[in-house]
């Protein structure tokens, strides 16, 4: 986001390094969308914070759009400053398979039921999208929700399905997170 500050990104770097047990993966997505000066300062700060540290889990996801002028700066900077890091440039299909593997619920936890029970690939997260209207996105979501309601035997205090409509190429993640938090299980 063009409104993201160097301080916010620095906090991400600090959280990655100071994560207790280093069990969480911290992620910066689309840094090429940052203003150039923010990008430069953020990656200089990353060098300062991460120097001498190898015990962290950090993923930087960049667009594969080579027209982005900052993308080459970011890739060069990562390659020059972290030659010993295990940087992986993955194709879309590899990323999809990785996410599918880690977002799948293959075993039941006691009597707890997950929405993955009704997903065709047993994924706990599903994004339904299309560039065109009238392709059956809403119908697909309603059908999955209906199947989930059949599996849930008791009344729950939170919705089984949260739909967030996104129109256009720009997504305000704060609005998405506010909506998800409003519907989260306390």
């Amino acid at each position: 986001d063009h409104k993201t500050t160097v301080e916010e990104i620095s906090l991400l770097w600090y959280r990655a390094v100071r994560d207790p047990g280093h069990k969480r993966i911290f992620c910066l997505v689309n840094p090429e969308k940052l203003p150039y000066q923010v990008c430069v300062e953020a990656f200089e700060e990353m060098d300062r914070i991460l120097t001498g540290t190898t015990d962290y889990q950090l993923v930087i996801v960049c667009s594969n759009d080579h027209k982005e002028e900052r993308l080459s700066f970011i890739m060069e900077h990562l390659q020059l400053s972290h030659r010993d890091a295990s940087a992986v440039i993955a194709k879309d299909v590899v990323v999809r398979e990785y996410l599918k593997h880690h977002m799948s619920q293959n075993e039941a936890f006691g009597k707890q039921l997950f929405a993955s029970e009704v997903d065709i690939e047993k994924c706990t997260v599903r994004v339904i999208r299309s560039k065109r209207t009238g392709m059956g996105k809403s119908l697909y979501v309603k059908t999955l929700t209906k199947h989930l309601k059949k599996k849930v035997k008791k009344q729950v205090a939170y919705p089984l399905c949260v739909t967030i409509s996104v129109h256009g190429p720009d997504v305000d993640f704060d609005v998405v997170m506010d909506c998800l938090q409003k519907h989260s299980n306390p």
Side-chain angles (χ1 to χ4, degrees):
D1 187 345
H2 67 279
K3 294 179 266 183
T4 304
T5 65
V6 175
E7 291 78 22
E8 290 171 318
I9 298 170
S10 294
L11 281 173
L12 177 72
W13 305 148
Y14 276 115
R15 287 180 182 141
V17 170
R18 294 183 177 146
D19 183 41
H22 302 287
K23 293 181 181 172
R24 296 185 294 176
I25 298 174
F26 292 83
C27 186
L28 177 65
V29 178
N30 292 334
E32 70 276 4
K33 304 269 187 217
L34 296 168
Y36 183 78
Q37 193 58 37
V38 171
C39 192
V40 169
E41 290 178 31
F43 280 89
E44 286 174 355
E45 189 70 7
M46 180 183 79
D47 285 341
R48 189 182 68 71
I49 294 168
L50 301 182
T51 297
T53 306
T54 57
D55 199 14
Y56 60 88
Q57 297 191 74
L58 178 65
V59 176
I60 300 172
V61 180
C62 297
S63 164
N64 63 356
D65 183 1
H66 298 290
K67 291 176 243 150
E68 291 284 351
E69 67 277 357
R70 286 183 211 64
L71 183 59
S72 59
F73 163 77
I74 293 165
M75 295 308 293
E76 282 178 35
H77 186 85
L78 290 173
Q79 289 169 348
L80 288 174
S81 62
H82 299 284
R83 282 181 229 151
D84 59 334
S86 58
V88 177
I89 299 175
K91 300 282 184 211
D92 288 349
V93 68
V94 174
V95 173
R96 268 192 226 107
E97 286 301 314
Y98 175 86
L99 290 173
K100 186 172 125 183
H101 172 75
H102 289 282
M103 299 292 231
S104 295
Q105 189 68 46
N106 294 325
E107 56 189 62
F109 289 96
K111 295 181 180 180
Q112 193 169 6
L113 178 70
F114 292 95
S116 61
E117 288 290 317
V118 296
D119 186 75
I120 193 164
E121 295 178 315
K122 300 294 184 207
C123 285
T124 57
V125 176
R126 175 67 55 195
V127 176
I128 314 297
R129 68 182 185 97
S130 173
K131 291 182 180 183
R132 298 189 307 167
T133 60
M135 299 303 293
K137 297 178 294 289
S138 297
L139 179 62
Y140 182 72
V141 171
K142 286 178 185 173
T143 303
L144 284 180
T145 305
K146 187 170 74 175
H147 290 306
L148 184 59
K149 284 180 181 176
K150 285 180 184 176
K151 287 192 172 260
V152 174
K153 304 288 189 240
K154 61 179 184 170
Q155 187 69 22
V156 290
Y158 50 89
L160 294 176
C161 176
V162 175
T163 302
I164 303 170
S165 295
V166 178
H167 303 283
D170 296 322
V171 178
D172 186 343
F173 292 104
D174 291 331
V175 172
V176 172
M177 292 309 297
D178 288 345
C179 183
L180 290 174
Q181 283 180 330
K182 184 172 62 174
H183 295 290
S184 67
N185 187 9

mmCIF file with all atom_site columns, all heavy atoms in Angstrom, residues 94-112:
data_model
loop_
_atom_site.group_PDB
_atom_site.id
_atom_site.type_symbol
_atom_site.label_atom_id
_atom_site.label_alt_id
_atom_site.label_comp_id
_atom_site.label_asym_id
_atom_site.label_entity_id
_atom_site.label_seq_id
_atom_site.pdbx_PDB_ins_code
_atom_site.Cartn_x
_atom_site.Cartn_y
_atom_site.Cartn_z
_atom_site.occupancy
_atom_site.B_iso_or_equiv
_atom_site.pdbx_formal_charge
_atom_site.auth_seq_id
_atom_site.auth_comp_id
_atom_site.auth_asym_id
_atom_site.auth_atom_id
_atom_site.pdbx_PDB_model_num
ATOM 1   N N   . VAL A 1 94  ? 3.807   -23.393 -7.862  1.00 0.00 ? 94  VAL A N   1
ATOM 2   C CA  . VAL A 1 94  ? 4.505   -23.865 -6.663  1.00 0.00 ? 94  VAL A CA  1
ATOM 3   C C   . VAL A 1 94  ? 3.929   -23.186 -5.427  1.00 0.00 ? 94  VAL A C   1
ATOM 4   O O   . VAL A 1 94  ? 3.680   -23.825 -4.402  1.00 0.00 ? 94  VAL A O   1
ATOM 5   C CB  . VAL A 1 94  ? 6.024   -23.596 -6.780  1.00 0.00 ? 94  VAL A CB  1
ATOM 6   C CG1 . VAL A 1 94  ? 6.740   -23.933 -5.493  1.00 0.00 ? 94  VAL A CG1 1
ATOM 7   C CG2 . VAL A 1 94  ? 6.608   -24.369 -7.949  1.00 0.00 ? 94  VAL A CG2 1
ATOM 8   N N   . VAL A 1 95  ? 3.693   -21.875 -5.530  1.00 0.00 ? 95  VAL A N   1
ATOM 9   C CA  . VAL A 1 95  ? 3.112   -21.138 -4.408  1.00 0.00 ? 95  VAL A CA  1
ATOM 10  C C   . VAL A 1 95  ? 1.713   -21.669 -4.101  1.00 0.00 ? 95  VAL A C   1
ATOM 11  O O   . VAL A 1 95  ? 1.360   -21.884 -2.944  1.00 0.00 ? 95  VAL A O   1
ATOM 12  C CB  . VAL A 1 95  ? 3.083   -19.622 -4.699  1.00 0.00 ? 95  VAL A CB  1
ATOM 13  C CG1 . VAL A 1 95  ? 2.324   -18.869 -3.622  1.00 0.00 ? 95  VAL A CG1 1
ATOM 14  C CG2 . VAL A 1 95  ? 4.502   -19.086 -4.834  1.00 0.00 ? 95  VAL A CG2 1
ATOM 15  N N   . ARG A 1 96  ? 0.903   -21.892 -5.141  1.00 0.00 ? 96  ARG A N   1
ATOM 16  C CA  . ARG A 1 96  ? -0.451  -22.426 -4.937  1.00 0.00 ? 96  ARG A CA  1
ATOM 17  C C   . ARG A 1 96  ? -0.418  -23.776 -4.232  1.00 0.00 ? 96  ARG A C   1
ATOM 18  O O   . ARG A 1 96  ? -1.197  -24.022 -3.314  1.00 0.00 ? 96  ARG A O   1
ATOM 19  C CB  . ARG A 1 96  ? -1.173  -22.555 -6.280  1.00 0.00 ? 96  ARG A CB  1
ATOM 20  C CG  . ARG A 1 96  ? -1.968  -21.356 -6.634  1.00 0.00 ? 96  ARG A CG  1
ATOM 21  C CD  . ARG A 1 96  ? -2.893  -21.620 -7.822  1.00 0.00 ? 96  ARG A CD  1
ATOM 22  N NE  . ARG A 1 96  ? -2.750  -20.502 -8.713  1.00 0.00 ? 96  ARG A NE  1
ATOM 23  C CZ  . ARG A 1 96  ? -2.122  -20.513 -9.872  1.00 0.00 ? 96  ARG A CZ  1
ATOM 24  N NH1 . ARG A 1 96  ? -1.610  -21.625 -10.338 1.00 0.00 ? 96  ARG A NH1 1
ATOM 25  N NH2 . ARG A 1 96  ? -2.011  -19.438 -10.592 1.00 0.00 ? 96  ARG A NH2 1
ATOM 26  N N   . GLU A 1 97  ? 0.466   -24.659 -4.656  1.00 0.00 ? 97  GLU A N   1
ATOM 27  C CA  . GLU A 1 97  ? 0.568   -25.978 -4.044  1.00 0.00 ? 97  GLU A CA  1
ATOM 28  C C   . GLU A 1 97  ? 1.039   -25.884 -2.596  1.00 0.00 ? 97  GLU A C   1
ATOM 29  O O   . GLU A 1 97  ? 0.543   -26.602 -1.734  1.00 0.00 ? 97  GLU A O   1
ATOM 30  C CB  . GLU A 1 97  ? 1.504   -26.885 -4.851  1.00 0.00 ? 97  GLU A CB  1
ATOM 31  C CG  . GLU A 1 97  ? 0.895   -27.379 -6.142  1.00 0.00 ? 97  GLU A CG  1
ATOM 32  C CD  . GLU A 1 97  ? -0.390  -28.161 -5.925  1.00 0.00 ? 97  GLU A CD  1
ATOM 33  O OE1 . GLU A 1 97  ? -0.449  -29.039 -5.039  1.00 0.00 ? 97  GLU A OE1 1
ATOM 34  O OE2 . GLU A 1 97  ? -1.365  -27.879 -6.651  1.00 0.00 ? 97  GLU A OE2 1
ATOM 35  N N   . TYR A 1 98  ? 1.971   -24.992 -2.321  1.00 0.00 ? 98  TYR A N   1
ATOM 36  C CA  . TYR A 1 98  ? 2.458   -24.794 -0.956  1.00 0.00 ? 98  TYR A CA  1
ATOM 37  C C   . TYR A 1 98  ? 1.313   -24.325 -0.059  1.00 0.00 ? 98  TYR A C   1
ATOM 38  O O   . TYR A 1 98  ? 1.089   -24.865 1.027   1.00 0.00 ? 98  TYR A O   1
ATOM 39  C CB  . TYR A 1 98  ? 3.594   -23.775 -0.937  1.00 0.00 ? 98  TYR A CB  1
ATOM 40  C CG  . TYR A 1 98  ? 4.067   -23.437 0.458   1.00 0.00 ? 98  TYR A CG  1
ATOM 41  C CD1 . TYR A 1 98  ? 5.021   -24.223 1.090   1.00 0.00 ? 98  TYR A CD1 1
ATOM 42  C CD2 . TYR A 1 98  ? 3.546   -22.346 1.143   1.00 0.00 ? 98  TYR A CD2 1
ATOM 43  C CE1 . TYR A 1 98  ? 5.455   -23.929 2.378   1.00 0.00 ? 98  TYR A CE1 1
ATOM 44  C CE2 . TYR A 1 98  ? 3.968   -22.050 2.431   1.00 0.00 ? 98  TYR A CE2 1
ATOM 45  C CZ  . TYR A 1 98  ? 4.912   -22.838 3.035   1.00 0.00 ? 98  TYR A CZ  1
ATOM 46  O OH  . TYR A 1 98  ? 5.323   -22.546 4.310   1.00 0.00 ? 98  TYR A OH  1
ATOM 47  N N   . LEU A 1 99  ? 0.582   -23.299 -0.518  1.00 0.00 ? 99  LEU A N   1
ATOM 48  C CA  . LEU A 1 99  ? -0.538  -22.781 0.267   1.00 0.00 ? 99  LEU A CA  1
ATOM 49  C C   . LEU A 1 99  ? -1.621  -23.841 0.449   1.00 0.00 ? 99  LEU A C   1
ATOM 50  O O   . LEU A 1 99  ? -2.175  -23.986 1.530   1.00 0.00 ? 99  LEU A O   1
ATOM 51  C CB  . LEU A 1 99  ? -1.110  -21.526 -0.389  1.00 0.00 ? 99  LEU A CB  1
ATOM 52  C CG  . LEU A 1 99  ? -0.223  -20.295 -0.336  1.00 0.00 ? 99  LEU A CG  1
ATOM 53  C CD1 . LEU A 1 99  ? -0.829  -19.167 -1.163  1.00 0.00 ? 99  LEU A CD1 1
ATOM 54  C CD2 . LEU A 1 99  ? 0.011   -19.843 1.092   1.00 0.00 ? 99  LEU A CD2 1
ATOM 55  N N   . LYS A 1 100 ? -1.907  -24.582 -0.601  1.00 0.00 ? 100 LYS A N   1
ATOM 56  C CA  . LYS A 1 100 ? -2.927  -25.631 -0.513  1.00 0.00 ? 100 LYS A CA  1
ATOM 57  C C   . LYS A 1 100 ? -2.529  -26.677 0.527   1.00 0.00 ? 100 LYS A C   1
ATOM 58  O O   . LYS A 1 100 ? -3.348  -27.099 1.345   1.00 0.00 ? 100 LYS A O   1
ATOM 59  C CB  . LYS A 1 100 ? -3.120  -26.284 -1.882  1.00 0.00 ? 100 LYS A CB  1
ATOM 60  C CG  . LYS A 1 100 ? -4.242  -27.289 -1.933  1.00 0.00 ? 100 LYS A CG  1
ATOM 61  C CD  . LYS A 1 100 ? -4.473  -27.715 -3.352  1.00 0.00 ? 100 LYS A CD  1
ATOM 62  C CE  . LYS A 1 100 ? -4.392  -29.192 -3.470  1.00 0.00 ? 100 LYS A CE  1
ATOM 63  N NZ  . LYS A 1 100 ? -4.548  -29.676 -4.839  1.00 0.00 ? 100 LYS A NZ  1
ATOM 64  N N   . HIS A 1 101 ? -1.277  -27.045 0.537   1.00 0.00 ? 101 HIS A N   1
ATOM 65  C CA  . HIS A 1 101 ? -0.794  -28.038 1.503   1.00 0.00 ? 101 HIS A CA  1
ATOM 66  C C   . HIS A 1 101 ? -0.945  -27.519 2.937   1.00 0.00 ? 101 HIS A C   1
ATOM 67  O O   . HIS A 1 101 ? -1.378  -28.248 3.827   1.00 0.00 ? 101 HIS A O   1
ATOM 68  C CB  . HIS A 1 101 ? 0.669   -28.379 1.213   1.00 0.00 ? 101 HIS A CB  1
ATOM 69  C CG  . HIS A 1 101 ? 1.296   -29.238 2.267   1.00 0.00 ? 101 HIS A CG  1
ATOM 70  N ND1 . HIS A 1 101 ? 1.019   -30.582 2.377   1.00 0.00 ? 101 HIS A ND1 1
ATOM 71  C CD2 . HIS A 1 101 ? 2.148   -28.939 3.270   1.00 0.00 ? 101 HIS A CD2 1
ATOM 72  C CE1 . HIS A 1 101 ? 1.684   -31.075 3.408   1.00 0.00 ? 101 HIS A CE1 1
ATOM 73  N NE2 . HIS A 1 101 ? 2.384   -30.100 3.966   1.00 0.00 ? 101 HIS A NE2 1
ATOM 74  N N   . HIS A 1 102 ? -0.584  -26.257 3.156   1.00 0.00 ? 102 HIS A N   1
ATOM 75  C CA  . HIS A 1 102 ? -0.602  -25.703 4.508   1.00 0.00 ? 102 HIS A CA  1
ATOM 76  C C   . HIS A 1 102 ? -1.962  -25.154 4.934   1.00 0.00 ? 102 HIS A C   1
ATOM 77  O O   . HIS A 1 102 ? -2.149  -24.861 6.117   1.00 0.00 ? 102 HIS A O   1
ATOM 78  C CB  . HIS A 1 102 ? 0.474   -24.631 4.650   1.00 0.00 ? 102 HIS A CB  1
ATOM 79  C CG  . HIS A 1 102 ? 1.849   -25.216 4.663   1.00 0.00 ? 102 HIS A CG  1
ATOM 80  N ND1 . HIS A 1 102 ? 2.385   -25.826 5.767   1.00 0.00 ? 102 HIS A ND1 1
ATOM 81  C CD2 . HIS A 1 102 ? 2.768   -25.336 3.691   1.00 0.00 ? 102 HIS A CD2 1
ATOM 82  C CE1 . HIS A 1 102 ? 3.584   -26.284 5.480   1.00 0.00 ? 102 HIS A CE1 1
ATOM 83  N NE2 . HIS A 1 102 ? 3.848   -25.995 4.226   1.00 0.00 ? 102 HIS A NE2 1
ATOM 84  N N   . MET A 1 103 ? -2.888  -25.029 4.006   1.00 0.00 ? 103 MET A N   1
ATOM 85  C CA  . MET A 1 103 ? -4.222  -24.531 4.338   1.00 0.00 ? 103 MET A CA  1
ATOM 86  C C   . MET A 1 103 ? -5.258  -25.656 4.306   1.00 0.00 ? 103 MET A C   1
ATOM 87  O O   . MET A 1 103 ? -6.443  -25.396 4.363   1.00 0.00 ? 103 MET A O   1
ATOM 88  C CB  . MET A 1 103 ? -4.648  -23.431 3.362   1.00 0.00 ? 103 MET A CB  1
ATOM 89  C CG  . MET A 1 103 ? -3.752  -22.229 3.378   1.00 0.00 ? 103 MET A CG  1
ATOM 90  S SD  . MET A 1 103 ? -3.896  -21.354 4.908   1.00 0.00 ? 103 MET A SD  1
ATOM 91  C CE  . MET A 1 103 ? -4.181  -19.728 4.358   1.00 0.00 ? 103 MET A CE  1
ATOM 92  N N   . SER A 1 104 ? -4.808  -26.884 4.223   1.00 0.00 ? 104 SER A N   1
ATOM 93  C CA  . SER A 1 104 ? -5.725  -28.017 4.188   1.00 0.00 ? 104 SER A CA  1
ATOM 94  C C   . SER A 1 104 ? -5.876  -28.611 5.574   1.00 0.00 ? 104 SER A C   1
ATOM 95  O O   . SER A 1 104 ? -4.918  -28.686 6.345   1.00 0.00 ? 104 SER A O   1
ATOM 96  C CB  . SER A 1 104 ? -5.218  -29.101 3.236   1.00 0.00 ? 104 SER A CB  1
ATOM 97  O OG  . SER A 1 104 ? -5.217  -28.618 1.924   1.00 0.00 ? 104 SER A OG  1
ATOM 98  N N   . GLN A 1 105 ? -7.081  -29.047 5.868   1.00 0.00 ? 105 GLN A N   1
ATOM 99  C CA  . GLN A 1 105 ? -7.392  -29.672 7.148   1.00 0.00 ? 105 GLN A CA  1
ATOM 100 C C   . GLN A 1 105 ? -7.677  -31.130 6.863   1.00 0.00 ? 105 GLN A C   1
ATOM 101 O O   . GLN A 1 105 ? -8.759  -31.484 6.450   1.00 0.00 ? 105 GLN A O   1
ATOM 102 C CB  . GLN A 1 105 ? -8.610  -28.985 7.777   1.00 0.00 ? 105 GLN A CB  1
ATOM 103 C CG  . GLN A 1 105 ? -8.897  -29.400 9.177   1.00 0.00 ? 105 GLN A CG  1
ATOM 104 C CD  . GLN A 1 105 ? -7.818  -28.914 10.123  1.00 0.00 ? 105 GLN A CD  1
ATOM 105 O OE1 . GLN A 1 105 ? -7.406  -27.780 10.073  1.00 0.00 ? 105 GLN A OE1 1
ATOM 106 N NE2 . GLN A 1 105 ? -7.357  -29.785 10.976  1.00 0.00 ? 105 GLN A NE2 1
ATOM 107 N N   . ASN A 1 106 ? -6.682  -31.982 7.059   1.00 0.00 ? 106 ASN A N   1
ATOM 108 C CA  . ASN A 1 106 ? -6.838  -33.386 6.707   1.00 0.00 ? 106 ASN A CA  1
ATOM 109 C C   . ASN A 1 106 ? -7.269  -34.280 7.865   1.00 0.00 ? 106 ASN A C   1
ATOM 110 O O   . ASN A 1 106 ? -7.596  -35.420 7.670   1.00 0.00 ? 106 ASN A O   1
ATOM 111 C CB  . ASN A 1 106 ? -5.535  -33.921 6.106   1.00 0.00 ? 106 ASN A CB  1
ATOM 112 C CG  . ASN A 1 106 ? -5.229  -33.255 4.788   1.00 0.00 ? 106 ASN A CG  1
ATOM 113 O OD1 . ASN A 1 106 ? -6.134  -32.949 4.029   1.00 0.00 ? 106 ASN A OD1 1
ATOM 114 N ND2 . ASN A 1 106 ? -3.963  -33.014 4.524   1.00 0.00 ? 106 ASN A ND2 1
ATOM 115 N N   . GLU A 1 107 ? -7.237  -33.753 9.072   1.00 0.00 ? 107 GLU A N   1
ATOM 116 C CA  . GLU A 1 107 ? -7.629  -34.587 10.204  1.00 0.00 ? 107 GLU A CA  1
ATOM 117 C C   . GLU A 1 107 ? -8.548  -33.799 11.120  1.00 0.00 ? 107 GLU A C   1
ATOM 118 O O   . GLU A 1 107 ? -8.467  -32.589 11.231  1.00 0.00 ? 107 GLU A O   1
ATOM 119 C CB  . GLU A 1 107 ? -6.396  -35.056 10.973  1.00 0.00 ? 107 GLU A CB  1
ATOM 120 C CG  . GLU A 1 107 ? -5.514  -33.927 11.449  1.00 0.00 ? 107 GLU A CG  1
ATOM 121 C CD  . GLU A 1 107 ? -4.205  -34.434 12.014  1.00 0.00 ? 107 GLU A CD  1
ATOM 122 O OE1 . GLU A 1 107 ? -3.447  -35.056 11.276  1.00 0.00 ? 107 GLU A OE1 1
ATOM 123 O OE2 . GLU A 1 107 ? -3.976  -34.179 13.210  1.00 0.00 ? 107 GLU A OE2 1
ATOM 124 N N   . ALA A 1 108 ? -9.425  -34.481 11.760  1.00 0.00 ? 108 ALA A N   1
ATOM 125 C CA  . ALA A 1 108 ? -10.361 -33.838 12.685  1.00 0.00 ? 108 ALA A CA  1
ATOM 126 C C   . ALA A 1 108 ? -9.703  -33.655 14.045  1.00 0.00 ? 108 ALA A C   1
ATOM 127 O O   . ALA A 1 108 ? -8.895  -34.459 14.466  1.00 0.00 ? 108 ALA A O   1
ATOM 128 C CB  . ALA A 1 108 ? -11.619 -34.689 12.820  1.00 0.00 ? 108 ALA A CB  1
ATOM 129 N N   . PHE A 1 109 ? -10.059 -32.570 14.709  1.00 0.00 ? 109 PHE A N   1
ATOM 130 C CA  . PHE A 1 109 ? -9.562  -32.314 16.051  1.00 0.00 ? 109 PHE A CA  1
ATOM 131 C C   . PHE A 1 109 ? -10.718 -32.518 17.014  1.00 0.00 ? 109 PHE A C   1
ATOM 132 O O   . PHE A 1 109 ? -11.518 -31.628 17.244  1.00 0.00 ? 109 PHE A O   1
ATOM 133 C CB  . PHE A 1 109 ? -9.017  -30.887 16.167  1.00 0.00 ? 109 PHE A CB  1
ATOM 134 C CG  . PHE A 1 109 ? -7.737  -30.690 15.423  1.00 0.00 ? 109 PHE A CG  1
ATOM 135 C CD1 . PHE A 1 109 ? -7.729  -30.160 14.145  1.00 0.00 ? 109 PHE A CD1 1
ATOM 136 C CD2 . PHE A 1 109 ? -6.535  -31.065 16.000  1.00 0.00 ? 109 PHE A CD2 1
ATOM 137 C CE1 . PHE A 1 109 ? -6.541  -29.989 13.462  1.00 0.00 ? 109 PHE A CE1 1
ATOM 138 C CE2 . PHE A 1 109 ? -5.347  -30.892 15.322  1.00 0.00 ? 109 PHE A CE2 1
ATOM 139 C CZ  . PHE A 1 109 ? -5.353  -30.359 14.049  1.00 0.00 ? 109 PHE A CZ  1
ATOM 140 N N   . GLY A 1 110 ? -10.798 -33.706 17.580  1.00 0.00 ? 110 GLY A N   1
ATOM 141 C CA  . GLY A 1 110 ? -11.885 -34.015 18.502  1.00 0.00 ? 110 GLY A CA  1
ATOM 142 C C   . GLY A 1 110 ? -13.218 -33.905 17.797  1.00 0.00 ? 110 GLY A C   1
ATOM 143 O O   . GLY A 1 110 ? -13.423 -34.459 16.738  1.00 0.00 ? 110 GLY A O   1
ATOM 144 N N   . LYS A 1 111 ? -14.131 -33.163 18.402  1.00 0.00 ? 111 LYS A N   1
ATOM 145 C CA  . LYS A 1 111 ? -15.466 -33.007 17.824  1.00 0.00 ? 111 LYS A CA  1
ATOM 146 C C   . LYS A 1 111 ? -15.600 -31.704 17.046  1.00 0.00 ? 111 LYS A C   1
ATOM 147 O O   . LYS A 1 111 ? -16.665 -31.358 16.610  1.00 0.00 ? 111 LYS A O   1
ATOM 148 C CB  . LYS A 1 111 ? -16.506 -33.053 18.936  1.00 0.00 ? 111 LYS A CB  1
ATOM 149 C CG  . LYS A 1 111 ? -16.564 -34.388 19.626  1.00 0.00 ? 111 LYS A CG  1
ATOM 150 C CD  . LYS A 1 111 ? -17.611 -34.395 20.692  1.00 0.00 ? 111 LYS A CD  1
ATOM 151 C CE  . LYS A 1 111 ? -17.631 -35.768 21.365  1.00 0.00 ? 111 LYS A CE  1
ATOM 152 N NZ  . LYS A 1 111 ? -18.621 -35.852 22.408  1.00 0.00 ? 111 LYS A NZ  1
ATOM 153 N N   . GLN A 1 112 ? -14.484 -30.982 16.896  1.00 0.00 ? 112 GLN A N   1
ATOM 154 C CA  . GLN A 1 112 ? -14.517 -29.707 16.199  1.00 0.00 ? 112 GLN A CA  1
ATOM 155 C C   . GLN A 1 112 ? -14.663 -29.930 14.701  1.00 0.00 ? 112 GLN A C   1
ATOM 156 O O   . GLN A 1 112 ? -13.990 -30.767 14.107  1.00 0.00 ? 112 GLN A O   1
ATOM 157 C CB  . GLN A 1 112 ? -13.244 -28.923 16.499  1.00 0.00 ? 112 GLN A CB  1
ATOM 158 C CG  . GLN A 1 112 ? -13.329 -27.485 16.088  1.00 0.00 ? 112 GLN A CG  1
ATOM 159 C CD  . GLN A 1 112 ? -12.159 -26.684 16.640  1.00 0.00 ? 112 GLN A CD  1
ATOM 160 O OE1 . GLN A 1 112 ? -11.241 -27.226 17.228  1.00 0.00 ? 112 GLN A OE1 1
ATOM 161 N NE2 . GLN A 1 112 ? -12.207 -25.388 16.447  1.00 0.00 ? 112 GLN A NE2 1
#
